[in-house]
Amino acid sequence: MKKLFLLLLLVLSLVVVNGNEISAVWVLPWSISTPEDIDEMLENLSENNYNTIMAEVRYRADALYIPNKTDSTFINIESRSHVMKGSDFDALEYLLEKATSYNIDVHAWMTMMVMTPHNLEALPADHIYKDKSGWITTDAFGKKMDRYDAEGYFWDAGIPEVRDYLVNLVSDVVVNYPGLRGIHLDYIRYPSQDLGFHNDSMREFNRKGYEDNYANLMMWKEDNINTLVKAIYDRVKELDSQMILSAAVISDRFKARSNYSQNWIDWLENDYIDYVFLMSYTKKDDVIEKMLKEKKSSPYKSKIVVGLRAWNDSQKPYPVEQIFSKIQKVREYGFAGTCLFNYSGLVKHKYLDGLGMLLYKLSENAKI
């Protein structure tokens, strides 16, 4: 009975599959920290017909690659990630070399505004946090954020030096890793609506003569994020016109904008980004379908990849059939594709084989 169900899903998937469909997976640093991990990961994903990897090579203002590897045009002073446990292994280089034989595209997944993990003791002695803690965002009273209120300490995008630093950081990866298909931005937002009022940012706000009210302050924060995204896009395209720039974003565009100053609709409308990846991690099919219906008439639907949950928890089972059904809905509505979060969850909960059936016989050219 189970085999019949899987076969039926396979047939349905082949009816709606698009030759350019993106079937991607987010891969956390822990899954690419050794050659053996990368070899196993590529084998698993290739066998199950995934065509795109978003590999997290910048975790918390650190590197799983070699900064200024051969070209030092763009300043990059990031330390080795603590995930690497002292190894000098260049995970990005190795991944790019090996992925070629599997015909899988690699995108460098790079977190932006989040600067540290919760545990500061995990950071190496030369981590940039030690010198640049003054870049941490504050509330309207000048109080530094609490790192436990978000995923760690966040930089403030209203500080011009922060934006310049991040643009150069991305540029360094682009020029030193030519085999990359794209750059994938994450945490390109403020941690909350109550943060983003660093003194340096407010000095710029006042210098430009804006009236000091809530609406203008919120627009200022949004403009700071927009300015950063546009600057990265312009630089990436200047260095490599074929390089793809994408970003993981809050799926609810109203919440993204009001709570996090992340106006990703604006990025699409103004060509600041090639693709957005909606982080839609609900278990509920009806919630996913409602979101898809709201966006089905968007003129930018071909630039929207839907990020789906691919992990389980102890509270309530999440069978693979529920991931199937969400992928089917994304295909029915004609979006650019799906990205599963995350690879380790796929392996741990034995989702790979089942989902591989759904992705069977995708075109070898089904890539972005």
Side-chain angles (χ1 to χ4, degrees):
M1 192 65 162
K2 185 175 180 181
K3 289 183 178 180
L4 180 61
F5 173 75
L6 292 175
L7 181 60
L8 176 60
L9 284 171
L10 171 61
V11 172
L12 288 173
S13 71
L14 294 177
V15 170
V16 298
V17 71
N18 182 317
N20 294 317
E21 180 178 2
I22 300 162
S23 52
V25 178
W26 279 295
V27 181
L28 294 168
W30 297 272
S31 296
I32 55 171
S33 61
T34 69
E36 294 76 17
D37 288 339
I38 291 175
D39 290 342
E40 181 180 0
M41 182 262 296
L42 287 170
E43 189 70 27
N44 284 337
L45 294 181
S46 175
E47 286 179 356
N48 291 282
N49 300 292
Y50 295 93
N51 56 45
T52 307
I53 292 171
M54 321 311 275
E56 191 170 16
V57 296
R58 185 182 195 249
Y59 175 57
R60 296 293 185 263
D62 54 18
L64 279 82
Y65 59 94
I66 306 300
N68 290 154
K69 187 175 179 67
T70 57
D71 185 331
S72 57
T73 302
F74 303 103
I75 296 173
N76 185 348
I77 58 173
E78 307 254 288
S79 57
R80 296 287 291 164
S81 175
H82 68 277
V83 174
M84 302 302 291
K85 299 179 179 179
S87 166
D88 61 357
F89 173 56
D90 188 338
L92 182 54
E93 180 183 64
Y94 187 86
L95 175 57
L96 288 169
E97 289 176 354
K98 293 293 184 174
T100 301
S101 61
Y102 289 95
N103 201 25
I104 294 177
D105 285 340
V106 176
H107 296 237
W109 170 12
M110 305 178 73
T111 60
M112 291 284 101
M113 307 313 301
V114 63
M115 181 187 197
T116 70
H118 289 152
N119 180 16
L120 300 183
E121 293 181 3
L123 299 177
D126 59 346
H127 192 275
I128 193 171
Y129 163 73
K130 309 295 174 65
D131 291 328
K132 299 298 183 182
S133 59
W135 284 352
I136 296 172
T137 191
T138 72
D139 64 18
F141 302 100
K143 181 182 177 182
K144 184 174 75 174
M145 72 171 290
D146 185 330
R147 67 184 185 275
Y148 291 102
D149 287 341
E151 292 79 359
Y153 281 129
F154 275 59
W155 286 332
D156 197 307
I159 304 173
E161 291 82 5
V162 168
R163 297 196 299 269
D164 290 344
Y165 178 85
L166 292 171
V167 171
N168 282 327
L169 181 80
V170 171
S171 302
D172 178 53
V173 173
V174 171
V175 298
N176 279 294
Y177 293 89
L180 273 176
R181 184 70 177 112
I183 298 291
H184 184 63
L185 309 177
D186 196 3
Y187 290 103
I188 189 145
R189 56 178 174 82
Y190 286 98
S192 78
Q193 61 183 330
D194 299 323
L195 295 165
F197 303 100
H198 190 281
N199 283 339
D200 290 353
S201 179
M202 291 301 94
R203 191 177 298 116
E204 285 291 302
F205 176 84
N206 293 325
R207 186 180 66 80
K208 294 191 175 183
Y210 295 113
E211 183 180 349
D212 190 355
N213 58 47
Y214 181 81
N216 283 343
L217 287 170
M218 293 301 103
M219 188 57 68
W220 170 252
K221 289 174 56 180
E222 187 177 297
D223 285 346
N224 289 331
I225 299 295
N226 286 355
T227 297
L228 175 57
V229 175
K230 183 180 187 303
I232 293 174
Y233 181 86
D234 289 345
R235 177 68 67 75
V236 166
K237 296 300 182 177
E238 175 188 337
L239 296 172
D240 184 348
S241 61
Q242 300 304 307
M243 183 75 65
I244 288 171
L245 185 69
S246 63
V249 299
I250 306 297
S251 60
D252 183 327
R253 64 189 182 95
F254 301 106
K255 182 179 179 181
R257 189 176 182 187
S258 63
N259 291 9
Y260 303 103
S261 306
Q262 188 181 68
N263 189 351
W264 53 264
I265 291 290
D266 206 33
W267 306 349
L268 291 171
E269 288 178 347
N270 291 289
D271 292 324
Y272 296 168
I273 203 87
D274 293 310
Y275 291 88
V276 294
F277 284 54
L278 308 184
M279 296 183 290
S280 310
Y281 301 147
T282 179
K283 289 183 177 181
K284 299 178 179 178
D285 283 14
D286 60 334
V287 174
I288 289 290
E289 183 155 22
K290 180 181 178 182
M291 182 199 72
L292 296 176
K293 283 181 177 178
E294 290 172 349
K295 296 173 174 60
K296 70 177 181 179
S297 300
S298 169
Y300 311 107
K301 190 166 63 172
S302 64
K303 295 184 175 184
I304 295 176
V305 177
V306 181
L308 299 173
R309 178 183 180 130
W311 80 91
N312 209 339
D313 55 46
S314 58
Q315 296 177 350
K316 188 177 180 181
Y318 186 45
V320 70
E321 290 81 5
Q322 290 187 23
I323 306 177
F324 277 154
S325 60
K326 293 176 180 63
I327 294 175
Q328 282 298 109
K329 286 297 178 185
V330 173
R331 287 176 167 175
E332 288 172 15
Y333 282 102
F335 288 85
T338 56
C339 188
L340 300 181
F341 187 88
N342 60 57
Y343 170 72
S344 58
L346 286 168
V347 173
K348 180 178 180 180
H349 302 295
K350 299 180 172 57
Y351 289 144
L352 270 173
D353 291 342
L355 290 173
M357 288 287 291
L358 188 66
L359 300 167
Y360 182 60
K361 289 186 178 179
L362 279 177
S363 165
E364 288 186 352
N365 297 319
K367 300 175 181 178
I368 51 178

